[in-house]
Amino acid sequence: MNENRLSAGEPEAHSPAQPPPLSVEESCQRLTEFLEHILRDAGQARLDVGTLSEPCRPLGEALCSFRAQAEELAACSARLAQGDLSGELPDGGGCLYDGLKSLHANLKQLTLQAGQVTRGEDSPDLCPSGEFFQAFHAMTQQLQEREDRLKEEIQRARRRAEIINSYTEMLMDLLDQRDEWLLVVDQKTQQIVHCNKRTRGIAEGAAYCDSCRHRLPIQSKLLEWSDSERYQVRELEEGRNVCYRVISFPIEWKERPSCVHIVMDITTEKMSARHLNDDIYQDPDTGIRNRQFLSEFMAQVLREQQNITLCYLDLGGVSEINTSFGRKVGDAYIQNFVEIVRKNFRSGDTFARIQDDKFCLMLTGNVKHLIERKMAEILTTFQRDDDRVFSHQCSFKYSIIEVEGASNVMPLDKLLETAEAEVKRQKRRQERQRKKPRGFDFENW
């Protein structure tokens, strides 16, 4: 090739001259600097072994091998310092890796033990020697003992909660059979979570009071109650004619902080108390109840959807007796009629005077047959007494209506109008009979 170039007239190319090897003294200095660089930062240390003198080259190669191990050792130590135990240490390395491998194995054991304690598992006694490892082992033992104690306390708390829940449910079952309302309200959500008047079969969480047998008018006031720290008894009124006594207290209901409201309708009780000191509910002439009392009483009956039997009484002949014998005799006539009616019924039955000669009798339940039998007896007694006292044939007419509480939609005024209309039909029928000519049958004409 050189011959071809020469023949082409090109000058001969010379390779760059290699620098002469370092002296032994210079090589030792270069090796010393290389070792210092390894100790400071093995990754940045560099050495060209070929520049060293021949006797120093084996030492240079050994230092290069040491540099590689030092760099690998520094990288493994950095991973351990960051908590990375996933990688395995190199198998080689000699004594330089022995301590690091032991530390790596011990840290993995401690990590395993800590994970078992965290999961609540029984951990083996993997306790390496050394102050740090002994302290870590003592800490994990204390944590495990504390967890065992907490588990025992949780079990005891659960047993207590089960007992409390069973007693609570038994108490609620007993209270559900009573006439009072029983509402349990969640303190956080202000929602009704239990109602003893709910329709059977309604699942928990449903709007109980939308399906109650009896709608509670003061429900919104109960939901607004915020004094959940103490037992409280108070009275709430709904309108003029309805009054409730409410007993409220906090309770733990199915692991939820709640409050219980026991509601009793005390309208009759309050009315009775007022009647003892107030004459506004009594008829001054006869001593029986008046129209105002009847209105309030009937409002409660209709609200509670009770079954009752209403008997409307129209006393005849009052105006004739007043004209013939005077007002005092007419009043005595009315009083006599009232006394006979009262003797034939219980004192707890409601008997009221709604107008001068109009009366109303109310009995609980559907007892029309009973009232009809009693009215026949009263009419016989009344006519006999009137003949003897007043020498005047007097009588009364009546109409009976059975009220089904669950399906009735008529208020008191409408019920009285219906009953009065029946009495008027009886009077018209009697008047036609009286005016009908003898021997002529209008029914078949």
Side-chain angles (χ1 to χ4, degrees):
M1 178 178 178
N2 293 335
E3 293 178 357
N4 293 334
R5 288 183 177 181
L6 290 173
S7 61
E10 294 180 3
E12 182 179 0
H14 298 282
S15 60
Q18 294 290 336
L22 299 175
S23 65
V24 173
E25 183 179 355
E26 291 174 338
S27 297
C28 290
Q29 184 178 359
R30 182 69 58 85
L31 290 173
T32 302
E33 293 174 353
F34 181 53
L35 179 60
E36 291 176 350
H37 289 164
I38 291 174
L39 296 177
R40 285 197 299 269
D41 186 357
Q44 300 297 325
R46 297 287 183 273
L47 176 65
D48 186 0
V49 178
T51 61
L52 300 177
S53 64
E54 187 65 28
C56 297
R57 288 179 182 179
L59 178 59
E61 293 175 355
L63 286 179
C64 287
S65 177
F66 173 72
R67 185 202 67 80
Q69 292 184 5
E71 185 178 7
E72 189 175 42
L73 182 64
C76 294
S77 300
R79 289 201 306 271
L80 290 180
Q82 294 174 358
D84 183 6
L85 304 178
S86 59
E88 295 294 334
L89 297 181
D91 294 335
C95 63
L96 293 179
Y97 285 92
D98 290 344
L100 194 62
K101 288 180 179 179
S102 179
L103 176 62
H104 181 263
N106 290 337
L107 288 176
K108 290 188 70 173
Q109 290 177 348
L110 293 177
T111 303
L112 174 64
Q113 188 175 8
Q116 290 173 331
V117 172
T118 302
R119 294 189 299 270
E121 302 173 358
D122 294 333
S123 60
D125 189 6
L126 302 174
C127 183
S129 59
E131 184 177 348
F132 168 76
F133 299 107
Q134 292 292 340
F136 184 85
H137 177 70
M139 180 189 69
T140 56
Q141 289 296 322
Q142 292 176 0
L143 289 175
Q144 192 160 3
E145 292 173 0
R146 182 177 300 177
E147 183 179 9
D148 293 338
R149 290 195 300 270
L150 289 175
K151 287 181 178 178
E152 293 178 359
E153 292 179 3
I154 290 173
Q155 290 296 329
R156 288 196 295 268
R158 286 178 177 172
R159 287 194 293 269
R160 287 196 299 269
E162 290 174 358
I163 294 173
I164 292 173
N165 285 338
S166 63
Y167 278 114
T168 301
E169 290 177 1
M170 181 180 68
L171 177 61
M172 293 304 175
D173 288 339
L174 293 175
L175 291 175
D176 283 350
Q177 301 174 16
R178 296 184 58 84
D179 294 333
E180 295 90 347
W181 276 272
L182 175 67
L183 299 181
V184 182
V185 180
D186 190 293
Q187 291 185 9
K188 292 183 179 179
T189 63
Q190 294 298 302
Q191 297 293 320
I192 297 173
V193 295
H194 178 79
C195 176
N196 67 329
K197 300 293 185 181
R198 71 189 186 281
T199 302
R200 296 300 177 185
I202 298 297
E204 182 174 348
Y208 285 125
C209 283
D210 290 338
S211 57
C212 280
R213 295 194 302 271
H214 305 308
R215 181 78 175 182
L216 184 60
I218 59 171
Q219 174 184 329
S220 59
K221 296 180 180 179
L222 297 178
L223 297 179
E224 295 171 358
W225 186 70
S226 58
D227 191 2
S228 58
E229 299 297 327
R230 60 189 179 91
Y231 180 92
Q232 188 180 75
V233 180
R234 63 198 189 281
E235 292 184 0
L236 298 177
E237 293 189 0
E238 182 68 18
R240 294 177 56 253
N241 304 326
V242 184
C243 185
Y244 298 96
R245 179 177 293 118
V246 182
I247 302 174
S248 304
F249 54 89
I251 191 176
E252 191 77 13
W253 175 261
K254 297 184 178 179
E255 301 182 359
R256 291 185 291 186
S258 307
C259 54
V260 175
H261 302 290
I262 301 176
V263 185
M264 293 162 282
D265 191 330
I266 58 172
T267 304
T268 304
E269 176 183 331
K270 300 292 283 188
M271 288 174 58
S272 299
R274 290 199 301 264
H275 297 160
L276 295 176
N277 302 313
D278 200 340
D279 295 332
I280 63 172
Y281 295 102
Q282 289 189 343
D283 178 60
D285 296 328
T286 61
I288 63 174
R289 304 301 188 186
N290 59 12
R291 176 64 178 262
Q292 184 171 346
F293 176 89
L294 186 66
S295 299
E296 295 185 11
F297 175 78
M298 193 60 184
Q300 179 183 353
V301 168
L302 296 178
R303 185 175 62 255
E304 296 180 358
Q305 298 183 341
Q306 299 180 21
N307 293 336
I308 62 165
T309 303
L310 180 149
C311 180
Y312 177 85
L313 296 151
D314 187 339
L315 179 60
V318 175
S319 58
E320 292 85 349
I321 293 177
N322 288 338
T323 302
S324 302
F325 302 98
R327 185 62 179 264
K328 290 186 178 180
V329 177
D331 291 343
Y333 170 72
I334 295 174
Q335 184 64 48
N336 187 46
F337 165 75
V338 169
E339 290 300 323
I340 294 174
V341 174
R342 293 175 66 175
K343 287 178 181 179
N344 283 271
F345 290 94
R346 300 168 299 182
S347 58
D349 297 328
T350 302
F351 186 35
R353 187 181 185 183
I354 57 179
Q355 202 173 335
D356 292 342
D357 53 358
K358 307 294 189 298
F359 299 83
C360 185
L361 180 68
M362 285 191 184
L363 277 70
T364 57
N366 296 143
V367 290
K368 181 177 180 180
H369 61 285
L370 172 63
I371 296 181
E372 287 178 339
R373 178 170 57 82
K374 287 287 186 181
M375 287 297 115
E377 297 174 359
I378 292 172
L379 183 59
T380 302
T381 304
F382 181 56
Q383 289 178 342
R384 183 176 60 247
D385 289 350
D386 286 345
D387 288 340
R388 176 169 48 82
V389 177
F390 303 108
S391 299
H392 187 86
Q393 182 67 34
C394 290
S395 183
F396 63 88
K397 299 188 182 304
Y398 64 90
S399 175
I400 302 175
I401 298 177
E402 288 187 333
V403 180
E404 296 286 345
S407 58
N408 176 64
V409 294
M410 291 192 296
L412 175 63
D413 292 341
K414 189 63 178 179
L415 290 171
L416 292 178
E417 288 178 7
T418 303
E420 185 178 16
E422 174 59 26
V423 169
K424 288 181 179 180
R425 282 193 295 270
Q426 294 177 18
K427 289 182 177 180
R428 289 194 298 268
R429 189 163 53 248
Q430 184 179 5
E431 185 66 18
R432 287 197 302 268
Q433 290 290 337
R434 188 179 64 83
K435 293 181 178 180
K436 183 173 65 175
R438 294 181 180 273
F440 189 84
D441 188 0
F442 276 99
E443 298 294 336
N444 298 321
W445 181 66

